[in-house]
Amino acid sequence: MRKTGWPMITKTFRIKRDAEDWARRTEDEIVRGVYVNRATADRMTVKEAIERYLAEITPTKRPKSQISERGFSKPLLQHLGRYSLSAVTPSLVAGYRDKRLAGEHRRDKEGNPIPLAANTVRLELALLGHMFRIAMREWGVAIASNPVLNVRRPSPGPGRNRRLTEKEESSLLTAVDQHSNPMLGWIVRIALETGMRSSEIVTLRQGQIDLKRRIVTLIETKNTQPRTVPLSAVAANLFIQAHNISTRPGDTDLVFFGDPGRHGKRGPYTFNKIWLKIKKENGLADLHFHDLRHEAVSRFVESGFSDQEVSAISGHKSMQMVKRYTHLRAEDLVTRIDQASKRRDPGTGPRTLTKRLPTKSRPRTSRLEKPSNGSMNTEIHLVGETRRDSR
């Protein structure tokens, strides 16, 4: 079908009547301005679209995000890869969500399904939804709407509320200090002192640390925004020890360096294996390294730092995220309440005032009176006093 101002539109039919009906409907849609060329959406499958997304869009993101998206794409390809983009409906996406949450794709030794974490499913749906958005905006795929936008996302669930007790902290620090590589103990202590993420600590280079000013400049962060982290005296001393380590090689400027890899280049120090072992041996299996960041941020708040100051140190963009990562101990709040009560009353506690203030029976008024001699006298009646002015 040809129409002035439009590219040629073609479609094959077995019956002439069907072709004529299609031509009339298409021409009518063009005239009304609602025509959508669905040919590309009918031909392109989800598998082809995801593969194109991984080849064109994913490489523009950070390395860690690239690895994550390739992992999230595998179940999408397995369950939805054979469908065309036009055949993907909200109900189909919702069915995929429910199956993943129920854990039907994996089972334990007894054959029972193992539910998948809600946040994992949320990230898979986010990848699928962004792929559809790119296809509609940049690839010329005509779809009425993004099917993922009309699907309810799984709830992310409550944030972690894991705090270290004094006994746990003591046993943890003792265990990491006994490790053969002192860098593990320095990294754990720096996390508790500064609230930096593990990836931010192990990728630090010598030029990012200014010990004279006692600051660390982070260039690559989780939220892509550089930030400057102040160092306590303890943290600065830890970096001095790391800088003066006797085994420091001359072929890298990493503060916490690892062994040379297959290509002969040194990468950051990796400690995940020994970290898991130490946790298990000390009864801290439920402790995540990221919990040390939670602990540090909470200690900042307990020390009297404002939300803005905590956000500047931790790098959180919103105050809501600061509150999520801040967990105050109830026993500390009890102490603060007692201190507040003592400030109000150094004796036995707050008193109730029962003495009433005296009331005035005569209201406060003012009036102007003109005397008989023609001069203007102003008589002002105030509470408890009367003043006469003569003008």
Side-chain angles (χ1 to χ4, degrees):
M1 190 187 75
R2 294 181 176 87
K3 186 171 181 62
T4 303
W6 286 80
M8 183 177 63
I9 306 172
T10 60
K11 190 172 184 179
T12 303
F13 297 90
R14 296 181 58 186
I15 302 175
K16 180 180 179 182
R17 181 179 299 173
D18 294 341
E20 292 173 345
D21 292 342
W22 171 81
R24 283 192 296 269
R25 289 197 306 271
T26 303
E27 186 174 2
D28 179 64
E29 290 177 355
I30 292 175
V31 171
R32 291 187 291 113
V34 296
Y35 172 73
V36 176
N37 188 353
R38 303 176 182 85
T40 305
D42 292 337
R43 290 194 303 266
M44 181 178 290
T45 63
V46 174
K47 180 177 182 295
E48 295 171 346
I50 290 180
E51 290 176 347
R52 181 175 177 180
Y53 182 94
L54 295 176
E56 297 180 7
I57 307 301
T58 300
T60 63
K61 302 181 180 181
R62 293 182 298 174
K64 189 174 181 179
S65 299
Q66 296 180 27
I67 297 174
S68 299
E69 288 193 344
R70 292 190 178 96
F72 294 141
S73 67
K74 292 179 181 180
L76 292 172
L77 292 171
Q78 180 181 356
H79 291 82
L80 305 175
R82 66 181 184 276
Y83 292 93
S84 66
L85 296 184
S86 59
V88 179
T89 61
S91 61
L92 183 65
V93 177
Y96 168 82
R97 174 204 62 200
D98 296 339
K99 289 181 180 179
R100 295 287 288 168
L101 289 174
E104 297 181 3
H105 60 288
R106 57 178 187 174
R107 298 182 180 274
D108 56 17
K109 296 181 180 179
E110 298 178 356
N112 300 319
I114 304 176
L116 195 63
N119 193 54
T120 301
V121 181
R122 290 180 69 253
L123 294 174
E124 291 174 359
L125 295 180
L127 173 61
L128 182 65
H130 192 238
M131 182 273 292
F132 268 100
R133 185 166 59 182
I134 293 296
M136 295 168 64
R137 293 182 178 181
E138 300 184 11
W139 298 346
V141 177
I143 306 175
S145 63
N146 188 335
V148 184
L149 295 180
N150 297 322
V151 175
R152 177 174 45 85
R153 304 289 181 91
S155 174
R160 285 178 60 83
N161 188 17
R162 182 65 165 88
R163 294 290 303 271
L164 275 175
T165 64
E166 293 184 5
K167 183 178 179 181
E168 289 176 338
E169 182 178 356
S170 177
S171 62
L172 175 64
L173 296 179
T174 301
V176 296
D177 288 341
Q178 292 174 352
H179 184 54
S180 58
N181 193 330
M183 287 191 288
L184 178 60
W186 297 335
I187 290 173
V188 171
R189 282 181 166 83
I190 288 172
L192 286 171
E193 287 290 326
T194 64
M196 288 193 291
R197 303 176 179 90
S198 61
S199 59
E200 296 170 345
I201 297 174
V202 298
T203 57
L204 281 174
R205 299 185 178 273
Q206 298 285 353
Q208 296 176 245
I209 304 172
D210 188 343
L211 292 176
K212 292 183 178 179
R213 299 167 60 194
R214 278 174 42 184
I215 60 173
V216 170
T217 303
L218 299 178
I219 301 174
E220 294 184 3
T221 62
K222 181 179 178 180
N223 58 18
T224 70
Q225 296 294 328
R227 78 175 189 274
T228 302
V229 180
L231 299 178
S232 64
V234 175
N237 184 54
L238 292 169
F239 278 112
I240 292 175
Q241 296 180 49
H243 176 75
N244 297 331
I245 187 172
S246 59
T247 58
R248 175 169 299 281
D251 58 350
T252 182
D253 62 344
L254 286 168
V255 177
F256 303 104
F257 53 89
D259 296 327
R262 290 180 297 177
H263 303 290
K265 295 183 178 180
R266 292 182 183 270
Y269 174 59
T270 57
F271 58 91
N272 186 60
K273 187 176 181 180
I274 186 62
W275 170 256
L276 296 175
K277 180 181 178 181
I278 289 176
K279 290 197 307 175
K280 185 177 181 180
E281 292 176 348
N282 290 271
L284 300 172
D286 65 329
L287 179 69
H288 299 172
F289 189 90
H290 200 72
D291 293 334
L292 304 182
R293 173 173 166 85
H294 293 213
E295 181 68 27
V297 174
S298 297
R299 290 179 181 180
F300 292 151
V301 175
E302 292 168 350
S303 299
F305 285 73
S306 66
D307 289 349
Q308 290 78 9
E309 291 171 334
V310 173
S311 177
I313 298 173
S314 64
H316 293 113
K317 288 185 176 180
S318 64
M319 294 299 105
Q320 186 65 29
M321 288 301 299
V322 173
K323 293 179 181 179
R324 178 183 176 185
Y325 279 79
T326 303
H327 307 291
L328 302 178
R329 289 188 177 93
E331 55 268 29
D332 294 335
L333 296 179
V334 170
T335 305
R336 296 285 295 275
I337 290 175
D338 290 342
Q339 293 174 352
S341 298
K342 291 180 180 179
R343 284 196 298 268
R344 289 196 301 269
D345 186 357
T348 59
R351 296 190 303 267
T352 302
L353 297 177
T354 58
K355 183 178 180 181
R356 292 186 178 181
L357 296 176
T359 58
K360 300 298 182 180
S361 59
R362 187 177 184 182
R364 179 172 181 171
T365 60
S366 64
R367 67 174 181 270
L368 298 179
E369 296 181 352
K370 186 175 181 181
S372 58
N373 57 8
S375 63
M376 178 66 71
N377 290 336
T378 303
E379 184 178 0
I380 303 175
H381 296 278
L382 301 175
V383 177
E385 63 175 308
T386 303
R387 184 178 66 206
R388 178 179 291 277
D389 294 335
S390 178
R391 297 181 184 179

